[in-house]
Amino acid sequence: MCRLTIITTAGRPDEQSLKLAELASQELNAKIIPRQKRSVRKLAEIYDANVIVAGKNRYEYYAKGAEAPFFFHPNSAAFRLKRVDRGEEEPLLTACALQKGDTFLDCTLGIGSDSLLAAYAVGNSGEIIGLEADQNVAFIVKTGMQTYDTSELPLTSYMRNIKVIHANALEFLKKQEDNSFDVVYMDPMFTEVIEESTNFEALRFAGNHIPLTDEWVIEAKRVAKRRVVLKAHFKSDWFERYHFQRDVRLTAKFHYGVYIK
């Protein structure tokens, strides 16, 4: 059973906050609850609900019981793209071998950093679709990608090119034709904690974490035209179990695995 989600505003809402609250209410079919000087934790307890706070310029998502909110910010992707611009290797792009005009399906969008790098690689002629199983996370990331403005203009344009869909990856894959996407990418949430960012921890708490299954891998291989790429903890046996060629990086806590058709 899905937990109720409610929408509220910052303590002293302005006109923009009220507009954002109304938008979230319509998109998520969720009730707006006036803040009335109550804390987010108090509202979550009263309504036994997840809480989305419409602030002055962004949404913050507090899954019930979470200490810190989840929100959209392209920090990680910006840092990684700067390294690419300097000519440094980006393991994800190496594993995916994306070309301009390619189609890329991200089965586990999360905060969207990997899809942002893929959008850079495929350019304006390519297509990026990101799937997110949790409706609230999908809404936060979709809205953020369409409205976040950064001084790094190329990054802004890459974000705008990503189509975010609230969907279970396996159910979505089952509806696709054979060889529908050049690259299919899967990054199931690790049981081991790697990311130290507060926002990644918030996502770990808020997200809908679906374990990798035989059926999911079979469908991904069917839908991919060229390759399937899997990201997993370096201790994972998924690579060997599902016949992915592992890119071993001795100092990395996670590896990429590639299945080439």
Side-chain angles (χ1 to χ4, degrees), residues 165-183:
I165 298 176
H166 166 228
N168 173 283
L170 178 57
E171 296 307 313
F172 183 89
L173 286 166
K174 285 180 176 179
K175 297 175 183 177
Q176 309 308 304
E177 296 182 358
D178 294 357
N179 306 314
S180 298
F181 292 87
D182 291 305
V183 177

Side-chain angles (χ1 to χ4, degrees), residues 7-8 25 51 58-59 62 69 78 87 99 104 122 125 131 133-134 151-152 162 165 184 193-194 232 246:
I7 315 298
T8 192
S25 175
V51 182
R58 75 180 188 192
Y59 294 104
Y62 292 81
Q99 305 166 14
F104 177 86
V122 305
S125 59
L131 308 179
D134 184 276
S151 58
E152 300 175 55
I162 298 170
I165 298 176
V184 174
V193 176
I194 290 180
R246 184 196 294 251

Side-chain angles (χ1 to χ4, degrees), residues 18-234:
L18 294 172
K19 287 181 179 178
L20 289 176
E22 186 61 36
L23 173 63
S25 175
Q26 293 175 2
E27 289 286 324
L28 298 171
N29 192 27
K31 187 176 181 179
I32 298 176
I33 303 297
R35 187 66 175 265
Q36 296 178 341
K37 298 183 180 180
R38 294 172 291 185
S39 68
V40 171
R41 178 178 293 181
K42 187 65 175 178
L43 288 173
E45 290 175 356
I46 292 172
Y47 292 93
D48 189 25
N50 302 315
V51 182
I52 292 179
V53 179
K56 296 184 182 298
N57 54 17
R58 75 180 188 192
Y59 294 104
E60 293 188 345
Y61 172 37
Y62 292 81
K64 189 171 187 294
E67 294 297 326
F70 171 75
F71 57 89
F72 175 76
H73 195 287
N75 237 358
S76 175
F79 173 74
R80 293 165 72 187
L81 282 172
K82 285 179 180 178
R83 293 192 306 187
V84 173
D85 285 340
R86 292 197 299 265
E88 298 179 27
E89 182 187 12
E90 167 51 53
L92 170 70
L93 297 183
T94 299
C96 292
L98 291 166
Q99 305 166 14
K100 298 298 182 185
D102 276 353
T103 52
F104 177 86
L105 176 65
D106 186 344
C107 291
T108 47
L109 182 67
I111 201 168
S113 296
D114 292 331
S115 278
L116 271 166
L117 265 78
Y120 160 83
V122 305
N124 290 329
S125 59
E127 180 184 21
I128 305 291
I129 292 180
L131 308 179
E132 173 52 51
D134 184 276
Q135 184 179 22
N136 293 337
V137 172
F139 171 75
I140 298 291
V141 175
K142 178 180 179 180
T143 305
M145 285 184 169
Q146 292 305 312
T147 59
Y148 192 95
D149 201 3
T150 172
S151 58
E152 300 175 55
L153 293 178
L155 183 60
T156 300
S157 65
Y158 303 149
M159 287 192 289
R160 304 293 192 261
N161 289 340
I162 298 170
K163 183 178 181 181
V164 178
I165 298 176
H166 166 228
N168 173 283
L170 178 57
E171 296 307 313
F172 183 89
L173 286 166
K174 285 180 176 179
K175 297 175 183 177
Q176 309 308 304
E177 296 182 358
D178 294 357
N179 306 314
S180 298
F181 292 87
D182 291 305
V183 177
V184 174
Y185 176 62
M186 304 181 295
D187 175 17
M189 183 70 75
F190 309 147
T191 54
E192 299 87 351
V193 176
I194 290 180
E195 301 287 358
E196 296 178 354
S197 163
T198 300
N199 209 23
F200 276 100
E201 277 305 294
L203 176 62
R204 179 180 293 278
F205 199 96
N208 188 346
H209 311 311
I210 302 171
L212 194 66
T213 64
D214 294 355
E215 189 177 16
W216 186 355
V217 175
I218 289 169
E219 288 297 319
K221 290 179 178 180
R222 178 186 65 80
V223 170
K225 183 177 181 180
R226 292 207 314 267
R227 61 178 59 194
V228 181
V229 176
L230 170 67
K231 177 182 177 182
H233 194 275
F234 76 96

